[in-house]
Amino acid sequence: MTAQTDHQHTPPPMRTIAELRIALRAYGFPGDPASFEAELDAAELDDLTAVREIAQAYRHRVLLALDPAGMAQVIRSTDDVTTELQRKMAQARGR
């Protein structure tokens, strides 16, 4: 039997705007539900491409919040990222 960590979650249903709202409240980043509503309010409802793009962006935010590897990248410190970039740039110059 394989043990699963507490950090692994099955993504919630997000097929409709109502389901996405629920997922954002449960798993989104702070401020996501309000930002989502503001972006929807600003979009032309007849512009289905814009509405779809907004929904997709917030679906991805929920999926990111549920992904331990993704969250590990989000919470990295600026110093850690800077050090990694400097190391990679030094390696690229050395080639």
Side-chain angles (χ1 to χ4, degrees):
M1 178 166 76
T2 304
Q4 297 217 354
T5 65
D6 293 334
H7 300 296
Q8 293 177 340
H9 296 284
T10 301
M14 295 182 280
R15 293 178 304 270
T16 66
I17 296 295
E19 289 176 344
L20 181 53
R21 284 181 173 125
I22 292 167
L24 284 169
R25 285 193 301 267
Y27 302 105
F29 295 96
D32 276 357
S35 297
F36 176 68
E37 295 301 333
E39 287 187 43
L40 278 182
D41 286 345
E44 292 290 327
L45 291 182
D46 291 336
D47 186 354
L48 297 180
T49 300
V51 172
R52 185 184 73 237
E53 287 173 352
I54 293 166
Q56 286 175 338
Y58 283 90
R59 279 188 194 109
H60 287 283
R61 292 178 68 81
V62 170
L63 294 173
L64 177 64
L66 292 172
D67 179 14
M71 284 306 297
Q73 294 300 315
V74 168
I75 63 173
R76 288 178 66 189
S77 70
T78 302
D79 290 340
D80 184 37
V81 173
T82 300
T83 301
E84 180 181 349
L85 288 173
Q86 289 172 339
R87 180 180 44 80
K88 287 181 177 183
M89 289 170 53
Q91 287 174 346
R93 283 190 299 264
R95 289 183 183 170

